[in-house]
Amino acid sequence: MKTLIKKIDRNNIDEEIIEQAGAILQAGGLVTFPTETVYGLGANALDEEAARKTYAAKGRPSDNPLIVHIARMEDLEGIVTEVPEDAKRIAQRFWPGPLTMIFNKNERVPLGTTGGHDTVAVRMPDDEIARRVILAGGGYISAPSANTSGRPSPTSAQHVAEDLDGKIDMIIDGGNVEIGVESTILDMTVIPPMILRPGAITAQMLSEVIGTVVVDEALISENSDKAPKAPGMKYRHYAPKAEMVIVQGSPEETVKAIKQLAFAQKRAGKKVGIIATSESASRYTNGIIKTIGSRENEKTVARNLYRILREFDSEDVDYIYSEAFSEDGIGTAVMNRLGKAAGHKVIEAEEITKLQKYRKIIFLSESGNCRAPIAAELLKKQMLKQEYEILARGMVVLFSEPMNPRAAELLKSRGIEVADFETQGFAGEALEEDTLILTMTDAMKQKVRNEYTELENLYTLCEFVGEVGEIPNVYGQPQEIYEEMFASIHNYVCRLSAILNGADEKVI
Ligand code: TXA
Ligand code: MG
């Protein structure tokens, strides 16, 4: 089947396109259109044969009911047995909008549309293009998300085309959607009303209008053995091809844990994707890093979620690590969809971070231009099982200088070229508990100790590797003394790396 793709300007809606879509729908065909949540795959909701085509195009099990979309409040009564008072109040407050309500259906709605249920899900979307298409199509348009079953819901017409081009009659391209996660589903056939799927309209917003609202238990506890009440929620929808894990904890611990996991997977030859926020993205050093939005505004996270999952699918990553988000507001819906995508694999950041003792290693020498950078560069060349930020610092750096030329020469003769080196003074920078400070001499260690009495991880390099001795300053000495100094640093650094690797044996 050839799929017609029509771009529409939402500020200047082309009536001809709407009429064409309406005609296709009235003839029992399939038309996708944007809504404020995700793109919908529209069909005449009162036509059983159209429902059958919808299931076939999506590859969706036919026991999973469709949502009937309407554009006028008065149309609700045409397909349900009764509209409870609370439903009227909710509709008044939240329709049109990202909310679906479930009612007892009347005989006009075929069982093919409701997956054999006696109830029908109804939603009145806010998107102007959607509303016009619904009216042109006869007023009752079933519209599941316009994705192939098992893929993330589409938030752009391009996503729809990826999944359904050639399988449906028409795609209306109205640009990117506004919200990005599917509507809240509220079952009005039970007392108190029950949320079957979280969305942009939250439990709190609903209970402000009608009092008590409960949440389907199967959504709250992952290990609930009860099936979710919305049949669609039982499927591992939104499933990316990669193995996905959510990492939760404080933002700081989360970043550290994901960095650790990504480094370990990279060492194992795996391709890693990271779902980061604009606040954290620059901290990551390995993997394909995607910024999903800002922690400050979780609406941005919702908007980009499915696009990012789709992108990772096409980039063939083996693992996706995602930061966890707050469950406030739309965050409940975001975490619900992320959780499903990850098959509910959630790990505590601290369980990972506790497996790595040091993350930053600072080598400290007097002027910071010879012994310290040699040690730092040699350690960077070691095969380390974990990721470290490795720095060289000087105790007395009045102005920055390049590396000592003889040190640079020695490194170069071993194939190590250092671009843009400049000495930097030690200023007790970011001395966190995962920073290891290694001085060249006892005197230097003492000096640091006097200044930073609290410091825990302060050793001479020799001491740390279990030796008695020092690495003295060789400034102005003959070449063979430089060579000796270089060889002894090399020896200590090799032992240091063995200790770091040995200590971290348990790491995943
Ligand atoms: O935001 C949305 O709701 C989007 C846009 C296109 O409007 N539509 C959407 O439809 O997400 P769909 O088919 O992908 O998801 C419908 C969900 C499924 O989980 C389904 O099981 C549930 O609604 N559902 C539909 N009718 C139901 C019913 N009578 N009882 C319980 N759950 C129902
Ligand atoms: Mg869906």
Side-chain angles (χ1 to χ4, degrees):
M1 177 190 292
K2 170 109 182 82
T3 302
L4 259 176
I5 301 183
K6 294 277 184 185
K7 238 193 171 72
I8 214 165
D9 175 2
R10 61 175 59 251
N11 298 316
N12 183 17
I13 294 175
D14 182 342
E15 202 47 48
E16 246 175 66
I17 299 177
I18 300 291
E19 274 169 24
Q20 197 177 3
I24 294 172
L25 290 167
Q26 304 241 17
L30 304 182
V31 176
T32 64
F33 54 87
T35 83
E36 70 275 35
T37 57
V38 299
Y39 271 73
L41 171 55
N44 180 355
L46 306 184
D47 173 356
E48 192 133 44
E49 177 56 19
R52 195 198 54 75
K53 284 193 204 161
T54 306
Y55 288 111
K58 273 180 68 78
R60 172 169 176 160
S62 60
D63 64 343
N64 188 2
L66 308 176
I67 295 174
V68 178
H69 292 60
I70 58 173
R72 293 176 299 221
M73 191 58 208
E74 60 267 30
D75 290 340
L76 177 59
E77 286 170 353
I79 51 173
V80 304
T81 55
E82 64 159 339
V83 182
E85 279 309 309
D86 277 352
K88 285 184 191 152
R89 292 164 62 199
I90 289 201
Q92 199 158 37
R93 174 74 184 76
F94 299 110
W95 274 1
L99 175 77
T100 296
M101 283 189 277
I102 295 178
F103 301 93
N104 289 312
K105 76 173 194 70
N106 71 17
E107 70 298 334
R108 285 181 75 196
V109 187
L111 288 171
T113 297
T114 63
H117 294 249
D118 292 330
T119 53
V120 60
V122 187
R123 158 158 135 82
M124 191 195 291
D126 187 31
D127 185 292
E128 190 54 27
I129 301 170
R131 291 163 58 80
R132 299 264 201 107
V133 171
I134 293 163
L135 291 175
Y140 297 106
I141 300 299
S142 58
S145 49
N147 51 291
T148 298
S149 191
R151 295 214 69 202
S153 291
T155 55
S156 72
Q158 191 200 326
H159 297 162
V160 176
E162 277 167 23
D163 287 8
L164 299 178
D165 194 12
K167 297 181 178 162
I168 58 177
D169 299 285
M170 185 177 188
I171 296 174
I172 298 180
D173 179 354
N176 292 337
V177 302
E178 176 62 25
I179 296 177
V181 292
E182 305 85 344
S183 60
T184 305
I185 301 181
L186 183 65
D187 187 351
M188 296 307 298
T189 67
V190 293
I191 298 172
M194 183 186 281
I195 293 181
L196 308 188
R197 178 174 76 180
I201 307 294
T202 63
Q204 195 193 335
M205 290 158 80
L206 293 166
S207 64
E208 276 165 19
V209 180
I210 54 165
T212 309
V213 168
V214 292
V215 177
D216 184 1
E217 204 187 310
L219 299 183
I220 303 170
S221 116
E222 297 128 35
N223 14 8
S224 162
D225 43 16
K226 294 205 178 110
K229 302 234 166 16
M233 297 298 277
K234 73 175 178 254
Y235 300 105
R236 190 189 162 206
H237 265 193
Y238 331 113
K241 292 179 198 153
E243 176 95 14
M244 182 166 161
V245 176
I246 300 169
V247 180
Q248 74 179 16
S250 71
E252 183 57 30
E253 288 293 304
T254 300
V255 169
K256 285 180 179 169
I258 293 179
K259 275 169 74 83
Q260 246 172 278
L261 292 163
F263 185 81
Q265 294 299 357
K266 188 185 143 196
R267 277 189 70 231
K270 302 290 185 197
K271 199 166 166 188
V272 171
I274 295 176
I275 300 184
T277 54
S278 47
E279 289 84 359
S280 65
S282 66
R283 303 268 312 272
Y284 294 107
T285 39
N286 289 297
I288 302 176
I289 302 143
K290 293 190 190 284
T291 302
I292 192 170
S294 166
R295 277 191 187 281
E296 298 279 296
N297 179 1
E298 270 194 39
K299 283 185 182 163
T300 57
V301 174
R303 204 172 291 149
N304 293 313
L305 174 62
Y306 289 142
R307 172 180 61 80
I308 285 182
L309 291 180
R310 278 180 179 259
E311 284 175 9
F312 277 136
D313 269 354
S314 64
E315 286 162 37
D316 282 327
V317 294
D318 301 299
Y319 288 89
I320 300 172
Y321 295 113
S322 177
E323 296 183 13
F325 301 98
S326 131
E327 303 229 7
D328 290 345
I330 200 163
T332 315
V334 168
M335 287 307 291
N336 168 266
R337 309 307 195 271
L338 264 184
K340 279 160 56 109
H344 297 292
K345 277 189 293 306
V346 180
I347 46 180
E348 290 296 330
E350 282 187 21
E351 292 298 312
I352 303 300
T353 55
K354 74 180 184 196
L355 301 176
Q356 179 165 359
K357 185 161 164 59
Y358 303 118
R359 287 185 183 75
K360 189 191 268 193
I361 299 175
I362 302 180
F363 290 101
L364 202 53
S365 63
E366 233 148 69
S367 51
N369 75 343
C370 183
R371 288 166 293 171
I374 288 175
E377 295 308 322
L378 289 175
L379 184 61
K380 285 180 195 167
K381 287 286 170 209
Q382 297 285 317
M383 294 285 282
L384 294 168
K385 289 188 186 168
Q386 295 192 319
E387 188 181 19
Y388 302 94
E389 190 184 353
I390 300 169
L391 304 171
R393 292 289 183 264
M395 289 295 284
V396 210
V397 177
L398 300 179
F399 48 88
S400 64
E401 308 178 83
M403 197 181 309
N404 173 310
R406 293 171 75 180
E409 204 45 53
L410 283 163
L411 283 168
K412 198 172 165 194
S413 71
R414 270 68 169 189
I416 304 174
E417 297 227 33
V418 188
D420 304 328
F421 179 87
E422 283 200 343
T423 54
Q424 286 186 51
F426 177 71
E429 66 223 83
L431 292 181
E432 285 157 24
E433 36 179 63
D434 54 8
T435 303
L436 172 63
I437 300 173
L438 299 171
T439 67
M440 300 297 136
T441 63
D442 288 325
M444 242 183 266
K445 178 183 154 188
Q446 210 44 57
K447 206 168 157 201
V448 178
R449 166 66 64 232
N450 293 344
E451 238 177 284
Y452 303 95
T453 48
E454 308 274 274
L455 219 57
E456 270 187 33
N457 307 312
L458 171 66
Y459 305 88
T460 70
L461 174 54
C462 300
E463 173 190 24
F464 192 78
V465 301
E467 286 278 329
V468 187
E470 294 194 314
I471 306 160
N473 190 346
V474 295
Y475 186 71
Q477 305 266 345
Q479 182 62 17
E480 68 261 27
I481 305 287
Y482 266 87
E483 295 275 357
E484 255 173 47
M485 171 272 295
F486 189 91
S488 72
I489 293 181
H490 187 246
N491 175 30
Y492 291 135
V493 164
C494 289
R495 291 169 58 184
L496 168 62
S497 95
I499 290 170
L500 293 171
N501 284 344
D504 302 328
E505 213 72 277
K506 286 183 302 182
V507 149
I508 340 153

